[in-house]
Amino acid sequence: MRSDVVIIGAGGAGLVSAINAHESGAKVIVLTKEYPTRSQTCMAQGGINAALSNAGEDSVEAHIKNTLKAAHGLAQESAVKFLCEEAIGAVEWLDSIGVPFSRTKDSKIAQRTLGGASAARACYAQDYTGLKILHTLYDRCLSLGIEILDERYLLEFITNKSENKVSVCGVSVLNKRSGEVEIYEAPSVIVATGGYSKIFHKHTTNSSSSTGDGIASALRAGARLSDMEFIQFHPTALKNSSILISESARGAGGYLLNSIGERFTNELLPRDEVARAIYDEMQKGEDVFLDIRHLGEAFIDEELPQERKLAILYENIDPVSDLIPIKPVAHYTMGGIEVDSESMTNVMGLFAVGECANHKVHGANRLGGNSLLELIVFGRQAGNNASKYAKNVKKDENISLHVEVESEVLDKIRNCTCRVSFYEKHKLIGDIFYKNVGIKRDKKELIFALDEIYKIKDDLPLMGVDDKSKIYNNNLVEFLEFKNMLELCETVLLSAIARGESRGAHFRVDAPSENDAIFKAHSIVDESGRVSYEN
Amino acid sequence: MKINIQREKLTQYEFDLEDATLLEALNEIKINQDASLVYASGCRSSVCGSCAMRVNGKEVLACAYKVQDGDLVEPLKNVPIIRDLVVDMSKAYKFNAKAKAWQSSPAKNISVTQEDEKINEVQSDCILCGACYSACPVYTVNSEFLGPFSLTRVWRYVSDKREDNTKDKIDTIQTNGVWDCTLCNECTIVCPQDISSKADIEKLRAKSAISGHMDPNFGSFGGFGGSFDGSPTF
Ligand SMILES: Cc1cc2nc3c(=O)[nH]c(=O)nc-3n(C[C@H](O)[C@H](O)[C@H](O)COP(=O)(O)OP(=O)(O)OC[C@H]3O[C@@H](n4cnc5c(N)ncnc54)[C@H](O)[C@@H]3O)c2cc1C
Ligand code: SF4
Ligand code: SF4
Ligand code: FES
């Protein structure tokens, strides 16, 4: 099938790109491995940032300043400026298409304070912000007649090389329902496949689909990845299930307490600092709790209904009367596919947006509420640019032969006897990563982790799938996801080992301070595993 | 603990887990016993709508249901089964498009108050899990019924000040829509988000009547003055 723009991923980033590409006149097809409304974007609770000044004084300048501060010198000022300036229009647009934002008494969009923000800047819809934004975007796509194909798993980006230039010309996907390989041709392809926190296995707040597929495939297609070592830990996930309790609970005045009921940090510091403070308490053998009892039942039910439901269901405690046991877990991946100021990667025609992309606005530590914002602002940009780019490419490429190539690869996996369980290996990687590539890191431990990854890689030929069926073979899809994660683990570790300093979410106990002379730069890693730094 | 899962054949699995959700149990079975078991999941926190299925005949979210010894686990009803607990939701989802469940055009400068926002707050909590769709008895007689979640979604937009063409919305849901519901309330009972599509459909019926539409059952069932189950329609 042919179109002007193919979009992989139907989370917030994918759907905003689709709407904008469509509105700028392109024929668009969106492919997703789930259904659009099931994308991880629906899990966002806290809010989306914009300096509207609806709940006190704020300014675009303050938003820029807070974002740059959290980024620890690693954000690109022009990109941050663009993000924050566009924020107000982005939220207004969401409001205009029907997102049911919570309101203030004087009919303005309500705002609350998230960590690292100097003002109440996050616009929210109770604690279902992501859900309501994603569903409204989905409805908007339906109203525009945009074609969205569900349950198509991205295999590879198809590229061609001419005159030293690599450009994209389509994608191959596995139709999960039929088990067949399908090819979609397009001069412009947008990657919007989300982040890679699932490498932490159960130590993450993320959806099980955050396996970094698009990033790994882009790397194989020749794109560069950057800042892969920066992985944000959210301070307050439920202790047993790793399910997120939103930062808005702290923003509203929730306390962090240790086992003896003492507060030990300023709850409203940026995430990296709060996560480290909690980690230190836990290293001392303390349990850590979030206390929102004093906010009162009425407030909790009005502003944090989902949080209460989740705590009751997954931790067997009611936050109205009990302390919530928490721990920090992997939450957001700042690194990803490197893009330029037009959202294009170094592969011509291949664009990236959302958590899988690195627009260099989060640097070493993302602020809460800036990610949903990024989806809207850069989604618009990527959609428009992909559409424009497609209009200027006149080549017709026959890439249907890739069906056979990819089918063979999949048949080979199906026919291989499975002697080593990749599920076990994923769990092992998650545990190693949580311990060694987590909140505090040490060079020796990172090297140990890399060795383990290489060992697992060596075992890959022994891994395979027990399920031989063609129809809806999740076992096969999960194996492909595992292979992608394994590839990304290596890039994370190579980047984390190379960065011999501490900055934002990357904290090295063996080099605890920032070293601007060498490392005030973005790390780049290519397929050969070479790490370099650029500004 | 033992549970029975409706696959091609009813299959029993035994595992050792305490205070676990059904989703955790399914994961345990898939990873340690039978990799060929298929089901859908995502957020594991009751917000993505992927893991709806039936336990002992009732629709639940696997990630929100605490598994019990002897449970019978089956896929959703009224949708084609792809394999095991995975069903094809595409036709069901298409009803959102058929019902035009969206805001017609971007709004300009419309002020939404706190009260306005509360009117459809619950309806916009829908996670599109399809539980209501599976529970709805109408599908056995009318497979083209627009159904509970899409009608709830129409109410969400119709009741929103930002919608500028409610007439078109109401006109659209006259055929295979609001009048085909039996008001049996099954959808409400199973909704994990405490949404009552039945109540939303009643509100849409009232709005339809105000817009001059009539209950088509009224003629044929004239003597009863109500819909199939005899409950009043206004
Ligand atoms: C619990 C939680 C709470 C959060 N709260 C907030 C918040 O309050 N504010 C904020 O700003 N941010 C928040 N975030 C972060 C934010 O939600 C995410 O960064 C953002 O939603 C990512 O959107 P995305 O569109 O890039 O990717 P996603 O929403 O993850 O979507 C990825 C899409 O790609 C598809 N896909 C992936 N791989 C493939 C493949 N191989 N083939 C085909 N399709 C594929 C998926 O099916 C999906 O449709 C939160 C995150 C979590 C987990
Ligand atoms: S209305 Fe309730 S049951 Fe129906 S799809 Fe929405 S959340 Fe699920
Ligand atoms: S009340 Fe109406 S929509 Fe709900 S289950 Fe009954 S017939 Fe279906
Ligand atoms: S896994 Fe998302 S609702 Fe159950």
Side-chain angles (χ1 to χ4, degrees):
Chain A
M1 206 188 286
R2 188 177 307 228
S3 59
D4 300 325
V5 180
V6 163
I7 297 170
I8 310 292
L15 296 184
V16 174
S17 311
I19 292 167
N20 284 282
H22 172 92
E23 286 178 342
S24 30
K27 180 179 181 320
V28 178
I29 293 180
V30 184
L31 303 164
T32 160
K33 68 177 171 180
E34 310 166 282
Y35 290 84
T37 53
R38 296 181 178 176
S39 309
Q40 173 181 277
T41 298
C42 75
M43 298 170 74
Q45 302 166 346
I48 172 168
N49 287 341
L52 302 177
S53 304
N54 287 354
E57 217 168 294
D58 197 8
S59 66
V60 171
E61 288 68 41
H63 189 181
I64 295 173
K65 214 170 125 201
N66 294 159
T67 305
L68 288 174
K69 176 155 188 266
H72 287 266
L74 270 201
Q76 209 160 59
E77 274 194 59
S78 54
V80 171
K81 195 161 170 275
F82 180 70
L83 178 80
C84 300
E85 279 170 355
E86 295 289 307
I88 295 164
V91 168
E92 279 169 1
W93 176 70
L94 289 174
D95 188 39
S96 80
I97 61 168
V99 172
F101 284 114
S102 294
R103 300 280 158 171
T104 61
K105 286 204 178 59
D106 49 352
S107 309
K108 291 182 183 152
I109 293 173
Q111 296 189 282
R112 60 184 167 207
T113 313
L114 299 181
S118 60
R121 187 176 297 139
C123 311
Y124 60 95
Q126 303 92 41
D127 52 4
Y128 280 122
T129 314
L131 176 80
K132 297 192 185 199
I133 290 178
L134 183 68
H135 280 239
T136 310
L137 291 171
Y138 174 65
D139 296 346
R140 183 96 199 117
C141 287
L142 287 187
S143 78
L144 297 172
I146 292 171
E147 188 167 6
I148 304 178
L149 300 175
D150 314 314
E151 309 211 290
R152 304 299 203 286
Y153 179 85
L154 164 74
L155 297 166
E156 302 294 347
F157 297 111
I158 302 169
T159 55
N160 70 26
K161 285 194 188 76
S162 62
E163 302 148 26
N164 286 332
K165 263 203 229 145
V166 188
S167 45
V168 74
C169 44
V171 299
S172 56
V173 303
L174 168 69
N175 179 330
K176 285 166 61 173
R177 292 176 195 154
S178 67
E180 301 292 339
V181 173
E182 299 170 346
I183 301 291
Y184 294 85
E185 300 178 42
S188 286
V189 175
I190 302 179
V191 201
T193 47
Y196 49 96
S197 287
K198 203 62 201 173
I199 57 182
F200 285 82
H201 196 250
K202 67 178 190 336
H203 310 286
T204 173
T205 59
N206 280 202
S207 142
S208 53
S209 68
S210 301
T211 52
D213 302 325
I215 306 176
S217 305
L219 179 67
R220 291 193 292 269
R224 307 199 309 171
L225 309 187
S226 66
D227 298 333
M228 293 297 287
E229 64 273 38
F230 293 103
I231 296 168
Q232 177 171 78
F233 275 64
H234 198 292
T236 58
L238 290 176
K239 191 170 178 197
N240 293 315
S241 57
S242 295
I243 288 168
L244 181 75
I245 295 297
S246 167
E247 195 157 282
S248 42
R250 275 176 291 135
Y255 301 139
L256 288 169
L257 304 177
N258 59 20
S259 314
I260 49 171
E262 275 172 355
R263 287 174 72 182
F264 53 85
T265 183
N266 172 358
E267 285 83 359
L268 290 177
L269 289 172
R271 288 180 180 166
D272 56 336
E273 294 177 51
V274 180
R276 274 196 300 276
I278 296 175
Y279 179 85
D280 289 342
E281 287 298 306
M282 288 167 62
Q283 289 302 95
K284 285 188 232 155
E286 297 281 338
D287 286 324
V288 178
F289 302 91
L290 177 65
D291 185 3
I292 58 170
R293 294 172 300 182
H294 54 285
L295 301 180
E297 184 163 9
F299 179 88
I300 293 171
D301 282 346
E302 175 58 34
E303 302 275 323
L304 304 164
Q306 192 187 177
E307 317 295 343
R308 184 177 186 189
K309 181 168 146 185
L310 295 174
I312 293 175
L313 186 62
Y314 298 104
E315 213 71 30
N316 286 324
I317 60 107
D318 185 348
V320 168
S321 51
D322 305 316
L323 295 174
I324 312 168
I326 54 107
K327 68 172 182 212
V329 298
H331 179 62
Y332 184 88
T333 45
M334 269 79 73
I337 309 166
E338 193 196 31
V339 291
D340 61 17
S341 58
E342 302 294 316
S343 290
M344 190 149 93
T345 69
N346 60 310
V347 175
M348 302 293 290
L350 185 67
F351 297 78
V353 66
E355 196 173 334
C356 67
N358 187 358
H359 277 92
K360 299 185 177 152
V361 289
H362 307 307
N365 183 38
R366 172 186 70 103
L367 283 185
N370 266 358
S371 165
L372 288 175
L373 175 60
E374 168 187 28
L375 310 180
I376 315 297
V377 171
F378 291 106
R380 176 181 293 177
Q381 186 191 58
N384 289 338
N385 289 346
S387 165
K388 225 186 289 165
Y389 180 89
K391 284 187 194 123
N392 294 325
V393 179
K394 283 283 163 287
K395 249 184 292 162
D396 269 347
E397 216 88 34
N398 184 2
I399 55 172
S400 54
L401 57 132
H402 283 267
V403 173
E404 219 168 296
V405 180
E406 291 304 328
S407 304
E408 252 172 53
V409 173
L410 297 182
D411 283 343
K412 228 167 137 187
I413 297 174
R414 278 199 204 89
N415 294 333
C416 165
T417 353
C418 174
R419 274 170 288 175
V420 170
S421 160
F422 70 87
Y423 291 118
E424 288 294 323
K425 293 296 175 195
H426 182 195
K427 185 168 174 299
L428 177 70
I429 291 174
D431 291 342
I432 293 174
F433 260 62
Y434 191 57
K435 191 165 165 285
N436 292 357
V437 201
I439 299 168
K440 288 197 172 176
R441 303 163 172 187
D442 174 75
K443 186 167 187 184
K444 273 200 249 84
E445 290 181 350
L446 291 170
I447 291 172
F448 167 83
L450 185 60
D451 274 347
E452 292 295 306
I453 294 297
Y454 286 144
K455 274 189 223 150
I456 294 170
K457 230 175 149 181
D458 288 343
D459 276 348
L460 260 182
L462 303 176
M463 295 178 214
V465 295
D466 287 319
D467 187 354
K468 306 296 179 196
S469 160
K470 254 192 127 151
I471 308 300
Y472 218 92
N473 190 335
N474 256 351
N475 194 205
L476 172 67
V477 168
E478 283 160 356
F479 183 54
L480 297 172
E481 290 175 338
F482 173 77
K483 284 177 43 175
N484 283 332
M485 284 189 279
L486 198 57
E487 244 177 281
L488 294 187
C489 284
E490 199 181 329
T491 64
V492 169
L493 282 164
L494 290 169
S495 313
I497 291 167
R499 186 174 287 279
E501 62 150 3
S502 293
R503 191 180 290 271
H506 173 73
F507 190 91
R508 285 268 299 261
V509 276
D510 56 325
S513 45
E514 286 185 11
N515 181 348
D516 280 354
I518 311 177
F519 293 116
K520 198 177 168 195
H522 299 276
S523 64
I524 311 281
V525 53
D526 62 19
E527 210 190 348
S528 67
R530 220 169 41 97
V531 181
S532 56
Y533 295 94
E534 277 174 31
N535 256 314
Chain B
M1 175 182 319
K2 290 194 185 89
I3 62 170
N4 296 299
I5 302 179
Q6 185 64 56
R7 307 185 62 186
E8 247 176 320
K9 281 202 276 297
L10 191 68
T11 314
Q12 188 166 79
Y13 294 94
E14 198 174 342
F15 50 86
D16 214 11
L17 284 179
E18 255 173 66
D19 193 37
T21 61
L22 175 56
L23 180 58
E24 287 166 329
L26 295 173
N27 288 340
E28 162 75 20
I29 293 167
K30 184 182 68 182
I31 289 164
N32 295 320
Q33 303 183 27
D34 187 347
S36 73
L37 177 68
V38 296
Y39 50 92
S41 72
C43 67
R44 85 211 178 285
S45 57
S46 336
V47 70
C48 75
S50 310
C51 68
M53 48 189 76
R54 289 187 307 139
V55 177
N56 307 327
K58 186 184 172 237
E59 286 72 12
V60 299
L61 295 178
C63 66
Y65 173 80
K66 291 284 167 73
V67 67
Q68 309 287 327
D69 194 32
D71 278 343
L72 168 64
V73 185
E74 297 169 288
L76 293 183
K77 283 192 308 190
N78 300 327
V79 271
I81 296 171
I82 297 179
R83 199 177 151 199
D84 295 347
L85 302 169
V86 175
V87 294
D88 187 345
M89 292 301 293
S90 25
K91 184 177 174 201
Y93 278 18
K94 287 219 170 75
F95 285 121
N96 281 336
K98 283 200 173 154
K100 300 193 184 169
W102 54 65
Q103 185 180 299
S104 306
S105 53
K108 283 187 204 92
N109 302 323
I110 293 183
S111 143
V112 179
T113 66
Q114 231 168 21
E115 294 70 44
D116 294 333
E117 189 254 321
K118 292 283 169 276
I119 291 176
N120 52 27
E121 179 183 315
V122 175
Q123 285 80 4
S124 60
D125 285 346
C126 172
I127 60 173
L128 268 190
C129 65
C132 53
Y133 187 92
S134 166
C136 178
V138 171
Y139 289 101
T140 48
V141 292
N142 180 5
S143 63
E144 292 308 308
F145 177 41
L146 293 174
F149 64 67
S150 54
L151 291 171
T152 276
R153 203 164 269 246
V154 171
W155 175 254
R156 171 196 158 178
Y157 286 109
V158 162
S159 63
D160 195 315
K161 260 176 144 171
R162 288 168 285 193
E163 173 59 43
D164 61 4
N165 193 358
T166 47
K167 180 172 180 324
D168 178 46
K169 297 249 164 301
I170 294 293
D171 290 350
T172 307
I173 53 167
Q174 298 305 310
T175 323
N176 294 316
V178 286
W179 310 107
D180 291 70
C181 165
T182 64
L183 304 182
C184 69
N185 209 35
E186 294 294 335
C187 50
T188 312
I189 296 168
V190 300
C191 178
Q193 294 291 79
D194 296 327
I195 296 164
S196 173
S197 292
K198 176 196 173 226
D200 298 335
I201 291 167
E202 287 179 303
K203 284 180 264 184
L204 286 168
R205 282 187 180 189
K207 223 171 172 106
S208 300
I210 296 168
S211 323
H213 291 286
M214 277 210 328
D215 181 353
N217 302 315
F218 211 67
S220 47
F221 286 83
F224 302 105
S227 60
F228 298 121
D229 63 349
S231 60
T233 46
F234 294 106

